[in-house]
Amino acid sequence: MLDLGSTPARDRPALRMRDIALAALATTLPADDGAPEARFLQSYVTESWPVALENALRDPVAADLPLLALADELGLTSLEVLAIALAAAVEEDAMVGRALIYCQSPLGGSRPTLALLASFPSLASEGVHPVDVLVTGAAIRSGILRLIGDGKPLPEQALMIPPPIRLALSDLDGKWPETTIGLHDEQAVPLPPSIAVEIERYARSLQSGHTLVIRAGLLEEGRAAAALLGHTLGMRPAFMEITQLAGSGPWLFLRNLLPVFCLEIGPGERRTLPPLPDYRGPMVVVCGPEGSVETNSLALNWFLPTPSPSERATLWKIAVGNDAMAQELAHHHRHSSGRIARLGRLAYRYSAQRGSHHPNMGDVVLAARQGDSMGLETLAQALRDDVTDEALVVPDTLRDDLEMLYLRCRTRDGLVDRLGISTVTRYVPGVRALFVGPSGTGKTLAAGWLATRLGLPLFRVDLAAVTSKYIGETEKNLAQLLARAEQSEVVLLFDEADSMFGKRTEIKEANDRFANAQTNYLLQRIENYTGITLLTSNSRARFDTAFTRRLDMILEFPQPGPTERRRLWQAHLGEGHTLKPKELNRLAATIELGGGHIRNAVLAAAVLAHEAGRPIAFADLLIGLSLEYRKLGRQLPVELQVVE
């Protein structure tokens, strides 16, 4: 606590703390000292420095207000206040450093030592050595002052002030290690009014020492919400790492900053937020929807919601500047605020590439399908090829089912509006479909067709990248994948999904228990997943019955019949062949293979035709088919072994 004893105050103009500290330093020199450093210090002696200190505390100059506010917040002693002022003066005036070297001879040193500060009269606490006052005081404990000179006796150790705190005492922003103040313009994400209303509510309930955990799928959206919360509290956000916290509490107080920690947490993972020394204000954590955050104070969790269609329309209008296009995008896509802002920026870049200043719907679709993958490519493979209606050859009944699936995906957001309470309860606007059928029947191609029709990117999950031999890592990877996909509005494709969503087994070994735990997590997470999920398998019998109950549609992909096979041959051959209609009919009637095998045979025939410099002939296809049949361990049908 600031304490000057019973020194009588005098009605004199207040001096700066640094000037008073230098005046106190001058009293440690001989009266007849004529060295330049001594004359420099004596120039600050205008009155008894303890009296000047009391005047300055009672009626401080504007430059000392940050320091005295900090002293009041942390309960600093008057000796600590002068030590801070002197340590800061060293960093501002080279002559102060020379004077300290002179005063501390023969030890030297341009920063004040504990012994030098202990020599200040009138400030020693009764019964406590001044060195102990400084070493155990709040200034060093909080990191405002740091001891330098490890290994030396305490009186010989010097004090320094971290540069960001010195700048903060001068009402200037300094860069704390691994910290960014505020948001850059390019990172700004417009937020809908509903989120702003929630922020007002949390700001009223967020008391000093409490923590708000903002859970968002996109980091920039969570950061934007934290910035808006800081603005509502009258503070600026400081996005900080958790590795450089020592001394940051006073800096945060001086600059009126709201500490925000951005964490990556997996499912079942627990992160403990370390305390901020001598910081008593609110804190914010931005993280994903999974895992838990533990703090030493009361923590509130807030999951950022997906904006409503009307709010999305407003956000799209801001992002692309076209009202009609904004309404269309908002009605059919459940993008988050951050994703809309990001796609808008990408759409403008694509429009600039074609020489336009205004993006159109094609630019937005291109941005979604070809642009930023939101980090998904570390866990999934982007399938960027467009699949047109003509490229997808399936039976009419299956096409009808695919059209129904397309409509379900398009209307999933407002599907339960005006329906009964039992339907609305626990409704999740996700779509889960299983494509079942033999290999090569067009399951992956149909997934590409659906993504193309929806104007969404398609990502095939890389099981090798997702699964791990380490306990809990598979669930963590899947949680990260699903959270990113959910916020990115993509179509997720799990090829051979029975390997991950298969039946749970009887527990005979420890590995069975962990495998079942992974399946349980997937079953629960996929039910709450709000995006579009497609799974492929050769047989529905391999799936756990609890999972098939969670599916919205199961589509059977049969082996193509003669009519579909003829269309497949035509779709793959195009115009670059010399086959007669009866030869196409012969292939369609005789070759009972799926589209994948037909594609391989056409490519093999194209190699022969290209080498010979001519269109594909029927004989080329027979060679390609022979290769394909040998891969299957079968013989080419006898009907085709003789060329007419």
Side-chain angles (χ1 to χ4, degrees), residues 625-643:
L625 284 168
S626 297
L627 294 173
E628 199 65 18
Y629 268 92
R630 283 204 294 271
K631 284 165 53 179
L632 297 171
R634 295 161 55 188
Q635 292 289 328
L636 187 69
V638 177
E639 297 91 334
L640 292 177
Q641 292 181 8
V642 178
V643 180

Side-chain angles (χ1 to χ4, degrees), residues 306-309 312-313 316 325 327-336 340 343 361 364-365 368 409-410 412-413 451 453-457 489 532:
T306 300
S308 66
R312 293 200 297 267
W316 274 115
M325 189 163 61
Q327 294 292 337
E328 172 72 12
L329 290 167
H331 183 67
H332 293 297
H333 297 287
R334 296 189 77 255
H335 289 301
S336 65
I340 290 173
L343 289 178
M361 187 65 78
V364 177
V365 172
C409 295
R410 289 263 294 183
R412 63 196 175 97
D413 194 27
R453 286 284 302 274
L454 292 170
L456 299 177
E489 184 75 350
I532 301 171

Side-chain angles (χ1 to χ4, degrees), residues 172-337:
L172 297 171
D173 280 334
K175 180 172 176 54
W176 197 266
E178 300 180 353
T179 299
T180 303
I181 298 177
L183 287 174
H184 299 298
D185 290 340
E186 64 271 15
Q187 294 177 312
V189 174
L191 297 173
S194 60
I195 289 182
V197 169
E198 285 295 296
I199 285 176
E200 289 278 357
R201 186 171 66 86
Y202 279 109
R204 289 193 297 269
S205 63
L206 195 61
Q207 302 175 9
S208 294
H210 291 181
T211 302
L212 177 62
V213 181
I214 299 177
R215 297 184 176 273
L218 294 181
L219 178 63
E220 56 262 42
E221 187 174 352
R223 286 166 59 96
L228 183 56
L229 176 65
H231 176 75
T232 305
L233 292 169
M235 308 171 74
R236 292 179 298 160
F239 298 96
M240 309 178 67
E241 301 288 341
I242 61 174
T243 55
Q244 298 286 341
L245 298 182
S248 60
W251 175 72
L252 292 166
F253 170 79
L254 286 167
R255 302 310 299 146
N256 194 30
L257 299 172
L258 174 67
V260 181
F261 300 96
C262 300
L263 307 178
E264 287 192 8
I265 312 175
E269 190 175 354
R270 182 183 304 166
R271 294 289 294 274
T272 300
L273 196 66
L276 275 172
D278 292 284
Y279 174 77
R280 299 179 175 88
M283 295 188 294
V284 174
V285 175
V286 175
C287 64
E290 305 283 354
S292 63
V293 178
E294 293 188 354
T295 68
N296 293 329
S297 63
L298 177 65
L300 306 173
N301 278 276
W302 178 30
F303 292 80
L304 288 186
T306 300
S308 66
S310 60
E311 289 179 329
R312 293 200 297 267
T314 302
L315 294 173
W316 274 115
K317 177 66 181 301
I318 297 172
V320 299
N322 184 302
D323 188 61
M325 189 163 61
Q327 294 292 337
E328 172 72 12
L329 290 167
H331 183 67
H332 293 297
H333 297 287
R334 296 189 77 255
H335 289 301
S336 65
S337 304

Side-chain angles (χ1 to χ4, degrees), residues 468-472 474-475 478 498-523 544:
S468 173
K469 65 180 180 180
Y470 298 106
I471 299 173
T474 299
E475 290 91 332
L478 283 166
D498 45 282
S499 62
M500 296 189 70
F501 296 85
K503 290 184 176 180
R504 287 166 285 191
T505 60
E506 181 183 351
I507 298 177
K508 297 180 179 179
E509 300 177 359
N511 289 339
D512 297 332
R513 182 180 296 108
F514 297 136
N516 286 347
Q518 291 177 7
T519 302
N520 290 336
Y521 171 77
L522 273 171
L523 294 176
D544 195 293

Side-chain angles (χ1 to χ4, degrees), residues 32 43 51 77 222 251 359 397 403 412 452:
D32 58 349
S43 67
V51 175
T77 65
W251 175 72
T397 54
E403 287 287 347
R412 63 196 175 97
T452 303

